[in-house]
Amino acid sequence: MTEHVYHIAIEEQRHQGGVRTLLEKAFGPGRMMRAIYRLREGTPPDPALCFVMLNKHDLVLGVVRNYRVCVGDNPRAALLLGPIAVAQSHEKLGLAARLIRHTIETATAQGFDMIYLVGDPNYYGEFGFTATRAAQVKINDLEEGKLVLGLELTPGAATDYAGIMRNDESVLLNQLQGWR
Ligand SMILES: CC(C)(COP(=O)(O)OP(=O)(O)OC[C@H]1O[C@@H](n2cnc3c(N)ncnc32)[C@H](O)[C@@H]1OP(=O)(O)O)[C@@H](O)C(=O)NCCC(=O)NCCS
């Protein structure tokens, strides 16, 4: 059991160096060219939904960031899970699975209806994500072979989210208002 050895915390300023290193190693410089990166770009992730996996020395071994997104003309924001990365030295211990489950639990508690991600249904299916639940959602310029998956947090919610996914500009507006 990894629960006693590694713990999940909200990502804070002091984790930034560790997080940056993990993401750079996991996705490389080519990540900026990807459609999903361009979709997230421009708005910060939801700070209440960014988590790190730490060891007892507070070393960052894993990270998941989550972004608020809008789909079509639905005024309610959905969540876009990712990026998620785990240090190579600590892969296959179930750390990513714990970060995903924690995201699902927290998003549910915060009242989100839907979580989306781009990923492999063979892995994410275990957490309830399916392509069917995201069948009405389109990400502009998504690379061939990449699949959008969706998880309903509210039964039946998938039918309310149809159209193009874009970043939630209210996040940016709120941030700008905070700066005034
Ligand atoms: C993908 C990643 C986050 C998984 O972290 P992890 O802590 O090792 O994952 P878990 O221990 O929870 O799960 C391990 C199992 O799930 C599989 N798995 C995990 N994430 C997966 C993914 N995104 N797609 C397909 N399979 C995946 C692993 O291959 C492994 O399977 P196995 O035990 O049958 O060999 C990690 O390998 C990583 O950082 N990779 C680079 C970045 C990346 O690809 N992120 C995901 C983008 S969708």
Side-chain angles (χ1 to χ4, degrees), residues 38-57:
R38 292 199 300 271
L39 169 61
R40 294 182 196 126
E41 193 178 57
T43 53
D46 187 331
L49 283 152
C50 290
F51 304 109
V52 284
M53 183 68 76
L54 304 170
N55 70 4
K56 61 180 179 183
H57 304 295

Side-chain angles (χ1 to χ4, degrees), residues 73-88:
D73 55 10
N74 189 328
R76 279 177 70 77
L79 207 63
L80 181 64
L81 187 151
I84 180 164
V86 166
Q88 265 182 6

Side-chain angles (χ1 to χ4, degrees), residues 103-122:
T103 296
I104 295 170
E105 279 166 26
T106 315
T108 305
Q110 292 191 5
F112 282 93
D113 285 335
M114 285 295 302
I115 307 183
Y116 295 97
L117 57 79
V118 172
D120 183 345
N122 292 327

Side-chain angles (χ1 to χ4, degrees), residues 26-27 84-86 90-97 118-120 123-124:
F27 299 105
I84 180 164
V86 166
H90 287 71
E91 277 179 325
K92 307 215 169 171
L93 295 174
L95 299 188
V118 172
D120 183 345
Y123 179 63
Y124 292 104

Side-chain angles (χ1 to χ4, degrees), residues 18-177:
V19 166
R20 204 173 308 120
T21 306
L22 266 189
L23 293 178
E24 272 164 18
K25 279 201 180 140
F27 299 105
R31 69 189 185 282
M32 294 170 193
M33 303 301 293
R34 291 163 51 217
I36 194 77
Y37 183 93
R38 292 199 300 271
L39 169 61
R40 294 182 196 126
E41 193 178 57
T43 53
D46 187 331
L49 283 152
C50 290
F51 304 109
V52 284
M53 183 68 76
L54 304 170
N55 70 4
K56 61 180 179 183
H57 304 295
D58 271 359
L59 202 68
V60 180
L61 298 175
V63 60
V64 63
R65 286 176 166 171
N66 294 284
Y67 288 73
R68 295 169 70 100
V69 289
C70 290
V71 176
D73 55 10
N74 189 328
R76 279 177 70 77
L79 207 63
L80 181 64
L81 187 151
I84 180 164
V86 166
Q88 265 182 6
S89 55
H90 287 71
E91 277 179 325
K92 307 215 169 171
L93 295 174
L95 299 188
R98 280 180 58 194
L99 287 167
I100 293 164
R101 290 209 175 89
H102 190 74
T103 296
I104 295 170
E105 279 166 26
T106 315
T108 305
Q110 292 191 5
F112 282 93
D113 285 335
M114 285 295 302
I115 307 183
Y116 295 97
L117 57 79
V118 172
D120 183 345
N122 292 327
Y123 179 63
Y124 292 104
E126 178 187 334
F127 309 99
F129 287 90
T130 64
T132 315
R133 293 284 185 254
Q136 305 186 89
V137 175
K138 185 177 177 315
I139 292 181
N140 277 335
D141 303 322
L142 191 64
E143 294 77 11
E144 217 180 303
K146 295 264 171 116
L147 210 51
V148 187
L149 307 179
L151 171 70
E152 281 182 344
L153 302 182
T154 304
T159 53
D160 299 336
Y161 292 80
I164 293 176
M165 187 183 287
R166 60 194 190 284
N167 55 25
D168 178 7
E169 284 172 359
S170 68
V171 173
L172 211 54
L173 283 177
N174 288 343
Q175 201 181 50
L176 288 171
Q177 276 159 2

